[in-house]
Every structure is written in C-alpha cells, then in structure tokens.
C-alpha cells in the first residue's frame, strides 16, 4: 500500500486526509507540523501531501527533493516565487500543485475558460468566493485558479486583468477586467461563483463544497496517482483524466 506523509497533519486538511486515507487504499506514514522534521517524514513516505502555509513550502520541497519523494502541494496563497520553487523541484521529483483537489472545480475551470472565450470581453467576469472564518488567504486559491481559466479564455495573463480591491470612488468598471470578491464566515467549506454578466443577460456558474471531505479524498487520489509518476510538474486535471 502507498504510504502518505502528511505535512500539516494536525491542521483541518491534514486531519481530514488521515480520516479517509485507509478507505481509499493508502496508509499514513506519519505527519509533521510547524517545528517538525519534513526530511525524516519524506524518507519514511512513498508520497507527501502539503497542506500547511506558504512559509513552509521551501523547506517541504527541499525535504521532498532530498528524500526523492513525490509531493502534492495543496497549500494556497502562493506567490510567483513559490511557483518558481515548485518548478525547480519538479525538475528532480514529481510535484503536483493544485489549489483545489475537487473534481467539480477542476471541471468548472474548463467551463469557465470556454465561456470566457465564447462570450468575449463585453461580458464582465466576476468571481465570488466564500470560506470559513479561519481561512487566512484571499482571494482563495481556487478563485484565482478560476480567474486564470477565464483569463486564458480571453487570451491574456490574469495579472493584466485582475481587480481585487474595490472601495470608495473607484470609477466605472474597465472592460475585460476580472473582479474578485471574498466572503469569510462560520464553517463554510468553500463556495465559488463565476458570474459572466452581459447586457440584458447573465450566466452564473456555481460550485459548492458541502464538506472538507471532498478535498481530502481528492488529495489522497492525487497522492496515489503521483506516487508512480516520473519527475515533472503535474495538475489535478491529469489525475482526473480531464
Ligand atoms: N488544494 C485544496 O484542495 C485545499 C487547499 N487548502 C489549503 O491548505 C492549507 C491548509 O489549510 P487548513 O488545513 O485549513 O489549515 P490549518 O491552519 O488548519 O492547518 C495548517 C497546518 O499546517 C501546519 N504548519 C504551519 N506551518 C508549518 C510548517 N512550517 N511546517 C509544517 N507544518 C506547518 C500547522 O501547524 P501549527 O498549527 O503547528 O502551525 C497546521 O497544522 C491552506 O493554504 C488552505 O487554503 C485547504 C483545503 C483544500
Ligand atoms: O482554506 C480552505 O478551506 C480551502 N482552500 C482552498 C482555496 O483556497 O481555494 C480550497 C478550498 O476552497 C478550501
């Protein structure tokens, strides 16, 4: 059986992954949290899953490389520098980075790219996400992933189109931009709504995670798939065959 090492094992996702791993045909090799030894865990594991914090990524990737252990990076709030670290690690080991391990969202990203392309820039795109009160990053990694899909449909980098901060007398909406809004409260597992607003009609694509378990199951599925892959950078769509 594939032995999964959990980086962030006492966190919400880490605990959810441990709860479903056996069900899905994996074992848990162990886990670490802040102050733990990721290299010892990497050496004891067939594959690592990282659901920690951006500040932990560099050490976690270094441990994975040194241990020769594939790693699923599910942590969100990553910067361009973090993505460069992931690219470097992927030259040595198999790395799957994804802001969502949900099947529904992975498919939704395809639909969003298609809709953005077909409907054109005079349809305004807004992405609204809602999460639990403990979430520390905004917009969510998934909202940004959906924004990337929309921008790809528009043939431009998201960085050129993204609007995340609206307050005060900001003027009318600029054509072609992609707006983001974040809601935080209670125990919401994760809702994402992509609104394509035209003149006189509106298309709304919505995904609601009903519990954290779907992310945990997706993470284990991704880990089992990644354990057998050669070095390289992978995405969730490849796991799901989409
Ligand atoms: N890709 C996906 O599908 C999903 C991604 N996520 C993302 O996963 C991440 C974790 O979410 P969640 O479980 O809710 O967060 P939690 O805060 O509940 O858990 C984070 C865990 O990481 C640990 N940690 C922090 N720093 C380090 C470190 N340097 N080394 C090792 N462990 C560390 C924390 O330990 P300590 O408490 O000791 O600091 C804690 O146990 C977030 O970025 C979230 O957005 C969440 C759900 C789904
Ligand atoms: O922090 C969470 O809980 C989640 N984070 C991920 C994100 O930022 O998109 C995925 C999921 O929505 C839950």
């Amino acid at each position: 059986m594939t032995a999964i090492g959990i980086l962030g094992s006492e966190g919400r996702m880490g605990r959810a992954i441990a709860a479903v791993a056996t069900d899905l045909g994996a074992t848990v090799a162990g886990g670490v949290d802040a102050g733990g030894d990721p290299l010892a865990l990497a050496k004891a594991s067939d594959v690592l899953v990282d659901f920690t914090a951006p500040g932990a990524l560099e050490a976690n990737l270094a441990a994975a490389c040194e241990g020769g252990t594939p790693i699923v990076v599910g942590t969100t709030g990553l910067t361009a520098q973090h993505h460069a670290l992931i690219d470097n690690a992927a030259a040595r080991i198999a790395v799957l980075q994804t802001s969502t391990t949900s099947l529904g969202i992975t498919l939704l990203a395809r639909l969003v790219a298609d809709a953005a392309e077909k409907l054109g820039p005079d349809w305004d795109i807004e992405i609204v996400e809602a999460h639990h009160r403990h979430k520390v990053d905004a917009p969510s990694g998934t909202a940004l992933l959906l924004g990337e899909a929309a921008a790809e449909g528009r043939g431009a980098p998201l960085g050129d189109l993204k609007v995340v901060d609206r307050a005060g007398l900001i003027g009318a909406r600029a054509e072609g931009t992609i707006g983001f809004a974040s809601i935080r409260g209670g125990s919401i597992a994760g809702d994402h709504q992509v609104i394509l607003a035209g003149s006189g009609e509106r298309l709304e694509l919505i995904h609601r995670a009903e519990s954290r378990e779907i992310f945990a199951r997706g993470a284990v599925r991704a880990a089992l798939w990644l354990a057998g892959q050669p070095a390289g950078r992978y995405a969730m769509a490849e796991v799901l065959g989409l």
Side-chain angles (χ1 to χ4, degrees):
M1 271 211 274
T2 304
I4 300 179
I6 305 176
L7 297 156
S9 58
E10 291 302 318
R12 284 174 288 274
M13 273 301 290
R15 283 181 276 121
I17 289 167
V20 300
T22 321
D23 237 29
L24 298 174
T27 58
V28 177
V32 298
D33 289 278
D37 180 356
L39 179 57
L41 182 65
K43 288 181 173 166
S45 308
D46 297 317
V47 58
L48 293 166
V49 294
D50 181 344
F51 289 85
T52 56
L57 184 66
E58 187 165 9
N60 290 344
L61 288 174
C65 286
E66 198 174 335
T69 315
I71 181 169
V72 174
V73 176
T75 302
T76 58
L78 304 183
T79 63
Q81 284 73 28
H82 292 118
H83 284 284
L85 292 171
I86 290 169
D87 287 336
N88 284 340
R92 297 177 59 189
I93 55 167
V95 185
L96 188 152
Q97 182 274 323
T98 182
S99 295
T100 182
T101 52
S102 147
L103 167 62
I105 289 279
T106 306
L107 183 61
L108 175 61
R110 291 283 168 88
L111 302 177
V112 168
D114 198 33
E117 182 192 350
K118 301 264 167 25
L119 294 176
D122 57 332
W123 284 63
D124 301 327
I125 301 180
E126 294 287 314
I127 301 176
V128 184
E129 54 98 350
H131 282 88
H132 51 94
R133 62 167 70 98
H134 305 288
K135 185 161 179 62
V136 294
D137 55 311
S140 69
T142 302
L144 293 169
L145 175 154
L146 293 169
E148 297 277 3
E152 180 196 315
R154 293 266 165 96
L158 179 61
D160 292 355
L161 308 178
K162 181 166 77 167
V163 177
V164 291
D165 47 354
R166 290 195 186 112
L169 195 59
I170 57 166
R173 194 181 196 288
E175 186 175 282
T177 52
I178 299 174
F180 292 83
S182 297
I183 293 163
R184 294 288 175 267
S187 58
I188 302 169
D191 290 353
H192 291 88
Q193 178 183 20
V194 180
I195 303 167
L196 295 107
S199 298
E201 59 181 322
R202 187 161 80 239
L203 175 62
E204 297 179 0
L205 300 168
I206 299 174
H207 179 270
R208 295 187 204 284
E210 291 172 5
S211 83
R212 194 165 282 114
E213 190 181 321
I214 62 145
F215 302 121
R217 288 184 166 272
V220 172
R221 193 167 165 186
L224 291 174
W225 180 88
L226 193 70
Q229 300 302 322
R233 183 167 176 161
Y234 300 93
M236 201 60 200
E238 291 162 279
V239 178
L240 300 170
L242 294 176

